[in-house]
Amino acid sequence: MRSTDVGSDSIAGMADRKRGIAGSATLDDLDRALVAALQADGRESFRNIARRLNVAEGTIRNRYERLSDAGVLDVVGVTNPLALGFDAMAMVGVKTSGRPQQVAEALSGMEEVSYVVIVAGQFDLLVEVVCTDHAHLLEMTERLRALDGIVTTDTFVYLKLARQSFEHGQLPRR
Amino acid sequence: MRSTDVGSDSIAGMADRKRGIAGSATLDDLDRALVAALQADGRESFRNIARRLNVAEGTIRNRYERLSDAGVLDVVGVTNPLALGFDAMAMVGVKTSGRPQQVAEALSGMEEVSYVVIVAGQFDLLVEVVCTDHAHLLEMTERLRALDGIVTTDTFVYLKLARQSFEHGQLPRR
DNA sequence: TCCTTCATTGCGGTTTGCGTACCCACACCC
DNA sequence: GGGTGTGGGTACGCAAACCGCAATGAAGGA
């Protein structure tokens, strides 16, 4: 009955589609195609996407809501802050004494912090901060260093943003 | 006649609104409000935004197209790759021998590379790569090291993405 | 087998997107 | 001054898209 051009064969029924623990959802071919479509153009109409993928518009709408609620997909306006008046961005490498997770949560609450990732290597955390000017950045790094659980910080001031992409090639199957 | 709630006083006429060189656009209050709206929800209808900001829908549409064409704003679907089956992300600190700009351009062409920024500090470039698994990541870093103009690389493997935000607080005036 | 669950579909009423025409302010030039 | 051009905002109408809802059908369990 249904036939999508997304995968090689039918994906109907979604019987094989289950969600694991939060943060590790399982996507089928249709989900992947939807994600890819919105990565290319976040404002493409659901009807149009539905036509291309050979399903009903309501299906796309449902899938979108589900992915969105699950925190897997989010359609947002992105900018290049440096082209917008934020004249001091930086990546800060942080070494922590306690659990990095805890420090990461504290950092995530700060307005200037746009990106926090727990990493393995010379640092425990990488933190991207967006400031209006150098004075603001200085004040920000001082606030960081004062935080509980933070041992050292290394600041890399952004000179130029050369690429910012949200399409990650072929989505792997699960 | 026109009255927006965006700024303190009228922004009519836009006489004061000019664009500088590419990459350094000047935004007025209405632009900033539009950007903020789409940062919060990239699929909100233009009509709805227009109502909130007390302008005609066509105005929002025009502004959006202009910002989009200027490369200042882009509405896209963003995901957490780690929650999507890409099991090996990393930030790579790169030291270059020649001009970083040139290396940055070469890197930007690679599919696995999602983010490239020229920085000041211990590294010349920060490069984010998105790979499907560790084997892929290993192969990728080897390809990096072989690139002309790259002296050393330091790889920070992502363990967990703790925060990913695209709203950067109050947009500074220009 | 019957029943329950759940994703998908089809269908209307309402809302939005988009092309077009018109208006106004400003700048420039003869 | 009058004429002309340009850029941005507004008004309007129609095709298209969004949204809620009831119906359908497949899968799984008792």
Side-chain angles (χ1 to χ4, degrees):
Chain A
M1 196 104 300
R2 256 170 76 245
S3 76
T4 75
D5 299 328
V6 176
S8 46
D9 43 16
S10 168
I11 58 170
M14 314 277 338
D16 58 303
R17 190 157 143 289
K18 295 155 195 158
R19 310 215 154 280
I21 342 301
S24 175
T26 305
L27 309 195
D28 64 9
D29 289 330
L30 184 56
D31 287 325
R32 277 190 283 269
L34 171 56
V35 168
L38 291 176
Q39 279 176 333
D41 174 8
R43 289 191 72 89
E44 182 176 4
S45 77
F46 288 155
R47 260 198 154 75
N48 209 37
I49 296 173
R51 265 193 300 267
R52 288 198 288 108
L53 301 180
N54 280 95
V55 292
E57 177 242 334
T59 301
I60 295 297
R61 203 166 1 118
N62 290 340
R63 297 295 190 108
Y64 172 76
E65 192 183 355
R66 213 175 308 138
L67 291 172
S68 190
D69 288 349
V72 173
L73 173 66
D74 198 10
V75 175
V76 295
V78 301
T79 60
N80 174 356
L82 292 179
L84 219 139
F86 292 99
D87 284 330
M89 289 179 71
M91 187 71 77
V92 183
V94 174
K95 289 187 200 175
T96 67
S97 54
R99 276 190 300 284
Q101 176 74 49
Q102 207 163 339
V103 180
E105 279 163 22
L107 291 171
S108 298
M110 298 188 178
E111 187 182 58
E112 293 94 338
V113 171
S114 62
Y115 200 65
V116 178
V117 52
I118 302 174
V119 297
Q122 165 184 1
F123 302 118
D124 296 308
L125 258 48
L126 290 178
V127 182
E128 188 186 65
V129 298
V130 179
C131 296
T132 51
D133 53 39
H134 287 167
H136 185 191
L137 177 57
L138 175 63
E139 182 260 327
M140 179 68 200
T141 55
E142 281 169 358
R143 228 184 315 149
L144 280 191
R145 254 191 280 273
L147 264 188
D148 235 40
I150 292 190
V151 179
T152 69
T153 66
D154 276 70
T155 302
F156 304 93
V157 175
Y158 283 18
L159 301 178
K160 183 183 174 188
L161 190 55
R163 174 172 162 91
Q164 191 178 23
S165 159
F166 299 94
E167 307 176 53
H168 314 110
Q170 181 69 31
L171 293 179
R173 317 225 159 176
R174 278 280 189 105
Chain B
M1 198 102 300
R2 256 170 75 247
S3 75
T4 74
D5 299 330
V6 175
S8 46
D9 43 18
S10 168
I11 57 171
M14 315 276 342
D16 57 303
R17 191 156 143 290
K18 295 154 195 157
R19 312 216 151 279
I21 341 304
S24 174
T26 306
L27 310 194
D28 66 8
D29 289 329
L30 184 55
D31 287 326
R32 278 190 283 269
L34 172 56
V35 167
L38 292 176
Q39 279 176 333
D41 174 9
R43 289 192 72 89
E44 183 176 6
S45 76
F46 287 157
R47 263 195 158 80
N48 209 36
I49 296 174
R51 265 194 299 269
R52 286 200 288 109
L53 301 180
N54 280 95
V55 293
E57 176 243 334
T59 301
I60 295 297
R61 211 183 334 139
N62 290 340
R63 296 296 190 106
Y64 172 76
E65 192 184 357
R66 215 174 305 139
L67 291 172
S68 188
D69 289 348
V72 174
L73 174 65
D74 198 10
V75 175
V76 296
V78 301
T79 61
N80 173 357
L82 291 179
L84 219 139
F86 292 99
D87 284 329
M89 291 180 69
M91 186 72 76
V92 183
V94 174
K95 290 187 199 175
T96 67
S97 54
R99 276 190 300 284
Q101 175 75 47
Q102 208 164 337
V103 180
E105 279 163 22
L107 291 172
S108 298
M110 298 188 178
E111 186 183 58
E112 293 94 338
V113 171
S114 61
Y115 200 64
V116 178
V117 52
I118 303 175
V119 295
Q122 165 185 0
F123 302 118
D124 297 307
L125 257 47
L126 290 178
V127 182
E128 187 186 66
V129 299
V130 180
C131 296
T132 52
D133 53 37
H134 287 167
H136 185 191
L137 177 58
L138 175 63
E139 182 261 326
M140 179 69 201
T141 55
E142 281 169 358
R143 229 186 313 150
L144 281 192
R145 255 189 281 272
L147 265 189
D148 236 40
I150 291 190
V151 180
T152 69
T153 65
D154 277 71
T155 302
F156 304 94
V157 175
Y158 283 19
L159 300 179
K160 183 182 175 189
L161 190 54
R163 175 172 161 92
Q164 190 178 23
S165 158
F166 298 94
E167 306 176 52
H168 313 111
Q170 181 69 31
L171 293 178
R173 317 225 158 175
R174 278 278 189 106

